[in-house]
Amino acid sequence: MPGTTTLSSLNRIGIDESGKGDYFGPLVIAAVFVTPASEQDLALMQVRDSKKITDGRILEMAPDIRLLCPHSIVAIGPQRYNELYAKINNLNRLLAWGHARALENLLQQVDCDLAIADQFGDERLILAALQEKGKQIRLVQRTKAESDLAVAAASILARADFLLRLQRLSQEVHTTLPKGASAAVASAGRMVVKKHGRDRLGTVAKLHFKTTQQVLAEG
Protein backbone atom coordinates (compact mmCIF):
# COMPACT_ATOMS: atom_id res chain seq x y z
CA MET A 1 0.00 0.00 0.00
CA PRO A 2 1.48 3.40 -0.93
CA GLY A 3 2.89 5.25 2.06
CA THR A 4 2.88 2.24 4.37
CA THR A 5 6.67 1.93 4.61
CA THR A 6 7.25 5.62 5.28
CA LEU A 7 4.47 5.84 7.87
CA SER A 8 5.70 2.73 9.69
CA SER A 9 9.07 4.40 10.29
CA LEU A 10 7.43 7.30 12.15
CA ASN A 11 6.07 7.91 15.62
CA ARG A 12 2.31 7.86 15.14
CA ILE A 13 -1.07 7.31 16.74
CA GLY A 14 -3.40 4.63 15.40
CA ILE A 15 -7.14 4.92 16.05
CA ASP A 16 -9.84 2.29 15.61
CA GLU A 17 -13.25 1.41 17.00
CA SER A 18 -15.26 -1.64 18.02
CA GLY A 19 -18.97 -2.18 18.55
CA LYS A 20 -20.15 -0.10 15.59
CA GLY A 21 -21.95 -3.07 14.04
CA ASP A 22 -23.01 -4.72 17.31
CA TYR A 23 -26.55 -4.13 18.55
CA PHE A 24 -25.62 -4.84 22.16
CA GLY A 25 -22.80 -3.24 24.06
CA PRO A 26 -20.86 0.01 23.83
CA LEU A 27 -19.08 1.79 21.03
CA VAL A 28 -15.39 1.75 21.98
CA ILE A 29 -12.70 3.87 20.34
CA ALA A 30 -9.02 3.27 21.11
CA ALA A 31 -5.99 5.38 20.24
CA VAL A 32 -2.49 3.87 20.53
CA PHE A 33 0.88 5.65 20.29
CA VAL A 34 3.52 3.59 18.47
CA THR A 35 7.22 4.27 17.87
CA PRO A 36 9.51 2.36 15.49
CA ALA A 37 10.91 0.53 18.56
CA SER A 38 7.54 -0.49 20.01
CA GLU A 39 6.39 -1.43 16.52
CA GLN A 40 9.03 -4.17 16.46
CA ASP A 41 7.61 -5.58 19.70
CA LEU A 42 4.07 -5.43 18.30
CA ALA A 43 5.25 -7.32 15.21
CA LEU A 44 6.82 -10.02 17.39
CA MET A 45 3.49 -10.32 19.25
CA GLN A 46 1.84 -10.88 15.85
CA VAL A 47 -0.43 -7.88 16.29
CA ARG A 48 -2.83 -7.58 13.36
CA ASP A 49 -6.39 -6.52 12.58
CA SER A 50 -8.60 -7.69 15.47
CA LYS A 51 -11.13 -9.10 12.98
CA LYS A 52 -8.52 -11.76 12.12
CA ILE A 53 -7.97 -12.80 15.76
CA THR A 54 -10.18 -14.87 18.07
CA ASP A 55 -11.85 -13.16 21.03
CA GLY A 56 -9.79 -15.24 23.47
CA ARG A 57 -6.52 -14.19 21.88
CA ILE A 58 -7.62 -10.55 21.76
CA LEU A 59 -8.22 -10.62 25.52
CA GLU A 60 -4.76 -12.16 26.02
CA MET A 61 -2.95 -9.65 23.81
CA ALA A 62 -4.62 -6.46 25.05
CA PRO A 63 -2.86 -6.24 28.47
CA ASP A 64 0.56 -6.55 26.78
CA ILE A 65 -0.28 -3.80 24.29
CA ARG A 66 -1.50 -1.58 27.13
CA LEU A 67 1.82 -2.11 28.94
CA LEU A 68 3.89 -1.51 25.81
CA CYS A 69 2.18 1.54 24.30
CA PRO A 70 0.68 4.77 25.66
CA HIS A 71 -3.01 4.61 24.81
CA SER A 72 -6.44 6.10 25.35
CA ILE A 73 -9.78 4.29 25.33
CA VAL A 74 -13.14 6.02 25.02
CA ALA A 75 -16.09 3.73 25.74
CA ILE A 76 -19.56 5.07 25.00
CA GLY A 77 -22.02 2.83 26.85
CA PRO A 78 -25.40 2.07 25.27
CA GLN A 79 -27.32 4.61 27.36
CA ARG A 80 -24.90 7.43 26.57
CA TYR A 81 -24.65 6.26 22.96
CA ASN A 82 -28.41 6.50 22.56
CA GLU A 83 -28.42 10.00 24.07
CA LEU A 84 -25.63 11.15 21.73
CA TYR A 85 -27.21 9.51 18.69
CA ALA A 86 -30.52 11.24 19.45
CA LYS A 87 -28.66 14.58 19.40
CA ILE A 88 -26.28 13.94 16.50
CA ASN A 89 -28.49 11.56 14.47
CA ASN A 90 -25.56 10.48 12.33
CA LEU A 91 -23.27 7.52 13.03
CA ASN A 92 -20.28 8.97 11.19
CA ARG A 93 -20.49 12.18 13.23
CA LEU A 94 -20.74 10.14 16.42
CA LEU A 95 -17.71 8.09 15.36
CA ALA A 96 -15.79 11.29 14.57
CA TRP A 97 -16.63 12.67 18.02
CA GLY A 98 -15.34 9.47 19.66
CA HIS A 99 -12.19 9.39 17.53
CA ALA A 100 -11.48 13.02 18.41
CA ARG A 101 -11.94 12.38 22.14
CA ALA A 102 -9.61 9.34 22.13
CA LEU A 103 -6.99 11.26 20.15
CA GLU A 104 -7.18 14.34 22.37
CA ASN A 105 -6.87 12.22 25.53
CA LEU A 106 -3.75 10.49 24.20
CA LEU A 107 -2.19 13.80 23.16
CA GLN A 108 -2.31 14.77 26.83
CA GLN A 109 0.23 11.95 27.40
CA VAL A 110 2.45 12.10 24.29
CA ASP A 111 3.71 14.53 21.67
CA CYS A 112 2.85 13.32 18.20
CA ASP A 113 2.05 15.01 14.89
CA LEU A 114 0.64 12.04 12.91
CA ALA A 115 -2.51 9.99 13.40
CA ILE A 116 -3.91 7.19 11.23
CA ALA A 117 -7.54 6.08 11.25
CA ASP A 118 -9.81 3.92 9.14
CA GLN A 119 -11.80 5.70 6.45
CA PHE A 120 -15.42 5.97 7.62
CA GLY A 121 -16.49 9.39 6.39
CA ASP A 122 -15.34 12.88 5.55
CA GLU A 123 -12.11 13.43 7.52
CA ARG A 124 -13.31 16.98 8.20
CA LEU A 125 -15.76 15.41 10.67
CA ILE A 126 -12.88 14.33 12.92
CA LEU A 127 -10.89 17.50 12.36
CA ALA A 128 -13.89 19.65 13.26
CA ALA A 129 -14.38 17.71 16.50
CA LEU A 130 -10.76 18.13 17.64
CA GLN A 131 -9.74 20.58 20.33
CA GLU A 132 -6.57 22.67 20.52
CA LYS A 133 -3.95 19.89 20.64
CA GLY A 134 -5.60 17.83 17.95
CA LYS A 135 -5.84 20.75 15.54
CA GLN A 136 -2.07 20.57 15.04
CA ILE A 137 -1.96 16.90 14.05
CA ARG A 138 -1.75 15.44 10.56
CA LEU A 139 -4.64 12.99 10.16
CA VAL A 140 -4.43 10.22 7.57
CA GLN A 141 -7.66 8.32 6.89
CA ARG A 142 -7.54 5.33 4.59
CA THR A 143 -9.35 2.11 3.83
CA LYS A 144 -7.98 -1.03 5.52
CA ALA A 145 -5.97 1.15 7.89
CA GLU A 146 -5.60 -1.91 10.17
CA SER A 147 -2.72 -2.95 7.90
CA ASP A 148 -0.77 -0.35 9.90
CA LEU A 149 0.39 -1.86 13.21
CA ALA A 150 -0.60 1.22 15.21
CA VAL A 151 -4.19 0.94 13.96
CA ALA A 152 -4.14 -2.85 14.42
CA ALA A 153 -3.05 -2.38 18.05
CA ALA A 154 -5.87 0.12 18.55
CA SER A 155 -8.35 -2.34 17.03
CA ILE A 156 -7.29 -5.00 19.55
CA LEU A 157 -7.60 -2.66 22.54
CA ALA A 158 -11.00 -1.43 21.37
CA ARG A 159 -12.31 -4.97 20.79
CA ALA A 160 -11.00 -6.25 24.12
CA ASP A 161 -12.70 -3.42 25.98
CA PHE A 162 -15.90 -4.02 24.02
CA LEU A 163 -15.89 -7.75 24.84
CA LEU A 164 -15.35 -7.15 28.57
CA ARG A 165 -18.09 -4.54 28.75
CA LEU A 166 -20.52 -6.74 26.78
CA GLN A 167 -19.82 -9.55 29.23
CA ARG A 168 -20.59 -7.26 32.18
CA LEU A 169 -23.85 -6.12 30.59
CA SER A 170 -24.82 -9.76 30.03
CA GLN A 171 -24.26 -10.45 33.71
CA GLU A 172 -26.30 -7.41 34.74
CA VAL A 173 -29.38 -8.50 32.77
CA HIS A 174 -28.84 -12.25 33.39
CA THR A 175 -29.00 -12.86 29.64
CA THR A 176 -26.23 -13.69 27.18
CA LEU A 177 -25.99 -10.72 24.83
CA PRO A 178 -24.55 -11.94 21.50
CA LYS A 179 -22.32 -9.92 19.20
CA GLY A 180 -23.50 -8.60 15.86
CA ALA A 181 -27.11 -8.02 14.81
CA SER A 182 -28.45 -11.50 13.98
CA ALA A 183 -31.72 -13.33 14.73
CA ALA A 184 -30.09 -14.59 17.94
CA VAL A 185 -29.45 -10.97 18.90
CA ALA A 186 -33.12 -10.07 18.41
CA SER A 187 -34.11 -13.11 20.48
CA ALA A 188 -31.83 -11.98 23.32
CA GLY A 189 -33.36 -8.50 23.08
CA ARG A 190 -36.85 -9.94 23.51
CA MET A 191 -35.62 -11.83 26.57
CA VAL A 192 -34.26 -8.61 28.10
CA VAL A 193 -37.63 -6.91 27.53
CA LYS A 194 -39.51 -9.84 29.06
CA LYS A 195 -37.28 -9.90 32.12
CA HIS A 196 -36.78 -6.19 32.72
CA GLY A 197 -39.21 -4.18 30.56
CA ARG A 198 -38.72 -2.02 27.49
CA ASP A 199 -36.82 0.75 29.25
CA ARG A 200 -34.00 -1.62 30.14
CA LEU A 201 -33.29 -2.27 26.45
CA GLY A 202 -31.81 1.20 26.05
CA THR A 203 -29.17 0.44 28.69
CA VAL A 204 -27.77 -2.54 26.79
CA ALA A 205 -28.53 -1.88 23.10
CA LYS A 206 -28.07 0.72 20.37
CA LEU A 207 -31.69 1.60 19.75
CA HIS A 208 -31.39 3.09 16.25
CA PHE A 209 -30.61 -0.38 14.83
CA LYS A 210 -33.46 -2.01 12.91
CA THR A 211 -33.15 -4.87 15.41
CA THR A 212 -35.08 -2.74 17.92
CA GLN A 213 -38.17 -2.94 15.71
CA GLN A 214 -37.86 -6.73 15.62
CA VAL A 215 -37.44 -6.89 19.39
CA LEU A 216 -40.36 -4.62 20.27
CA ALA A 217 -42.71 -5.99 17.61
CA GLU A 218 -42.69 -9.29 19.48
CA GLY A 219 -41.51 -8.09 22.90
Side-chain angles (χ1 to χ4, degrees):
M1 185 175 294
T4 299
T5 305
T6 52
L7 291 180
S8 67
S9 64
L10 300 171
N11 289 356
R12 64 201 184 281
I13 291 172
I15 316 169
D16 204 11
E17 80 283 327
S18 184
K20 179 176 67 175
D22 297 277
Y23 180 60
F24 292 121
L27 175 66
V28 182
I29 300 99
V32 177
F33 176 67
V34 171
T35 66
S38 62
E39 178 160 20
Q40 291 180 12
D41 292 324
L42 293 174
L44 287 172
M45 290 165 55
Q46 296 187 312
V47 165
R48 55 199 184 282
D49 181 2
S50 64
K51 290 187 280 295
K52 299 176 180 175
I53 310 173
T54 64
D55 289 351
R57 185 68 185 124
I58 284 171
L59 292 171
E60 288 173 358
M61 295 173 82
D64 291 340
I65 295 172
R66 286 197 292 265
L67 276 175
L68 187 64
C69 303
H71 59 277
S72 164
I73 296 174
V74 172
I76 307 170
Q79 200 157 7
R80 178 68 174 143
Y81 177 98
N82 291 324
E83 290 170 2
L84 286 170
Y85 193 88
K87 288 179 187 174
I88 299 172
N89 203 33
N90 180 290
L91 182 55
N92 280 346
R93 287 186 184 280
L94 181 51
L95 275 170
W97 181 86
H99 275 63
R101 294 291 73 71
L103 181 55
E104 287 284 347
N105 291 348
L106 186 49
L107 288 172
Q108 301 293 330
Q109 305 174 45
V110 300
D111 287 320
C112 186
D113 57 10
L114 173 64
I116 304 172
D118 207 28
Q119 183 81 47
F120 62 80
D122 190 332
E123 72 177 36
R124 286 174 296 182
L125 291 176
I126 296 181
L127 295 173
L130 287 167
Q131 305 299 319
E132 187 177 347
K133 277 184 176 289
K135 296 285 187 195
Q136 300 162 33
I137 203 160
R138 175 185 165 215
L139 176 66
V140 176
Q141 272 190 280
R142 63 189 192 199
T143 54
K144 298 186 178 174
E146 295 89 349
S147 61
D148 184 280
L149 274 182
V151 180
S155 79
I156 291 171
L157 290 196
R159 195 61 178 172
D161 197 80
F162 169 83
L163 291 169
L164 291 171
R165 289 172 183 274
L166 183 66
Q167 186 178 48
R168 283 203 292 271
L169 286 173
S170 295
Q171 291 166 351
E172 286 174 16
V173 293
H174 307 292
T175 303
T176 299
L177 303 175
K179 296 172 292 180
S182 63
V185 170
S187 178
R190 289 192 287 274
M191 185 58 67
V192 170
V193 172
K194 283 176 185 172
K195 286 181 178 178
H196 307 284
R198 288 189 174 205
D199 289 348
R200 193 73 166 94
L201 191 62
T203 68
V204 296
K206 303 175 184 78
L207 296 179
H208 68 90
F209 277 47
K210 289 179 181 177
T211 309
T212 299
Q213 296 168 16
Q214 300 168 25
V215 170
L216 296 182
E218 303 171 50

